[in-house]
Amino acid sequence: MDESAIKGLEVLELKGSDAGIRNSSIITRMVVKGYDTSPPTPPKEVVEEAMIKHLGYDTFTPTPREVVEEALRKHFASRGITLIHVAVPEENSRILCSHGLIYVNEECEAEALKLDGSDMGGGRILEVAAYPFADNHLDHVFAPTKATECLERTLYVTGFDTCLASKDDIKKMVRGLFPGCGGCYVRRGGSVLVYIRGQDDIDNALKLSGVSVRGFKIAVDTVLPIERVIVGTPAMYLPPLPQGNHKTIIATD
């Protein structure tokens, strides 16, 4: 690999170990409401920071959805709770659905529920309630958003081991395990980026966290939109993983 490609590699330092951070691989779903469904355009400095983050490859202005999803992550993080996934669907390009979905480790559910009635700022009181995967009483609320729910997300899945199975075997297991998988990328050591589009397929994938596949106990550690970064030439797509989770990842074969 030439020097320019090496300099372009995305190296993500993730502190701690899996065992020290998650006691359970099971994920629970919750519903939230009370956030701003039509947040204002982000301040200039936020846009400029995002443009720098994207290495000047293209301009980037956070959408209302991204603004609210990030606000929810920060709100729960302020109480020591890491959200594995946040989904605030859009009713149209400017208005968000009144209800959003958040996903936490099973062991964090009780603490997350304590944020019911908390102030997100601006006098907006957040409502938080359990919404198990088997519960569908809010389907009528989310149904109008299905047509706009086309954003591809990346699931960061751990538990596989390239010392015990080849990358090709891991890919076959992943595609068999996640029917909605639109593709996957196996990293060093066996962690996998799984690309899935559509909230129903993402829910089905998150329900599988903690299952065993041919002796490997897999866990979905986080879900995030794909972001564009430059890795040598040409550009490729890799997602930045949130800080404070699991291990060092080097984006290269």
Side-chain angles (χ1 to χ4, degrees):
M1 183 178 298
D2 61 35
E3 184 178 354
S4 63
I6 293 174
K7 288 182 179 179
L9 291 176
E10 182 78 358
V11 181
L12 304 171
E13 297 295 335
L14 303 176
K15 301 178 181 179
S17 66
D18 294 350
I21 295 177
R22 292 182 69 176
N23 296 321
S24 170
S25 299
I26 298 174
I27 295 171
T28 60
R29 186 178 70 173
M30 311 177 79
V31 64
V32 295
K33 63 180 296 188
Y35 49 79
D36 189 352
T37 57
S38 54
T41 303
K44 180 181 178 182
E45 57 270 20
V46 173
V47 175
E48 290 177 346
E49 180 182 354
M51 291 173 66
I52 293 172
K53 180 179 178 182
H54 280 246
L55 306 178
Y57 189 84
D58 59 357
T59 57
F60 173 81
T61 301
T63 64
R65 174 180 188 157
E66 290 165 326
V67 170
V68 172
E69 288 183 352
E70 182 62 20
L72 286 167
R73 288 189 188 96
K74 289 181 177 179
H75 185 62
F76 282 84
S78 70
R79 310 296 175 88
I81 301 168
T82 298
L83 300 184
I84 291 174
H85 181 37
V86 186
V88 178
E90 299 172 326
E91 292 188 355
N92 57 54
S93 60
R94 295 180 301 277
I95 303 298
L96 302 176
C97 180
S98 60
H99 293 66
L101 299 170
I102 63 171
Y103 303 76
V104 299
N105 296 336
E106 182 182 45
E107 64 212 48
C108 297
E109 182 177 18
E111 287 300 313
L113 286 170
K114 292 179 182 179
L115 270 71
D116 181 40
S118 59
D119 189 344
M120 279 195 68
R124 293 191 173 275
I125 304 302
L126 190 68
E127 297 179 32
V128 184
Y131 190 50
F133 288 111
D135 193 342
N136 60 6
H137 78 274
L138 291 176
D139 277 2
H140 67 286
V141 174
F142 294 112
T145 71
K146 298 289 185 177
T148 62
E149 192 58 33
C150 59
L151 178 65
E152 184 179 67
R153 300 274 188 160
T154 302
L155 282 71
Y156 176 56
V157 180
T158 59
F160 296 106
D161 188 342
T162 50
C163 293
L164 302 175
S166 69
K167 287 188 175 183
D168 285 341
D169 283 342
I170 292 174
K171 286 181 180 179
K172 290 177 182 177
M173 285 187 275
V174 168
R175 289 169 178 156
L177 183 64
F178 303 110
C181 172
C184 63
Y185 175 78
V186 181
R187 293 175 179 262
R188 287 179 180 174
S191 60
V192 186
L193 301 179
V194 182
Y195 308 122
I196 294 182
R197 191 184 303 274
Q199 191 56 47
D200 289 341
D201 283 335
I202 291 174
D203 271 7
N204 289 332
L206 293 174
K207 285 189 287 188
L208 295 171
S209 185
V211 304
S212 293
V213 184
R214 287 171 52 181
F216 299 105
K217 185 175 181 180
I218 66 101
V220 179
D221 288 350
T222 192
V223 181
L224 61 161
I226 293 178
E227 295 199 13
R228 186 178 298 170
V229 298
I230 303 301
V231 180
T233 303
M236 68 180 291
Y237 290 84
L238 290 173
L241 299 176
Q243 294 182 357
N245 268 357
H246 301 290
K247 60 189 74 171
T248 300
I249 296 171
I250 303 176
T252 180
D253 283 331

